[in-house]
Amino acid sequence: MSVTGICQICEAAPARHGCPQCGRAVCEDHWSDDAGLCTECTQGRRQ
Ligand SMILES: [Zn+2]
Ligand SMILES: [Zn+2]
């Protein structure tokens, strides 16, 4: 998935990933490689 623009969480860094759950474009800081989701989504699904 190609993502362009700015991170929709911090609005300070370039977006590198698109979250498949919420659809946000997020930067490296707000992306969880482990979960394959943005940090906003991973916070709600800790196991
Ligand atoms: Zn960010
Ligand atoms: Zn998300």
Side-chain angles (χ1 to χ4, degrees), residues 7-44:
C7 172
Q8 290 174 21
I9 295 178
C10 64
E11 301 185 332
R16 299 293 186 206
H17 305 276
C19 177
Q21 183 162 298
C22 67
R24 281 187 181 94
V26 298
C27 68
E28 294 288 349
D29 283 352
H30 292 108
W31 178 253
S32 170
D33 264 331
D34 287 347
L37 298 168
C38 72
T39 53
E40 290 290 292
C41 290
T42 57
Q43 279 170 17

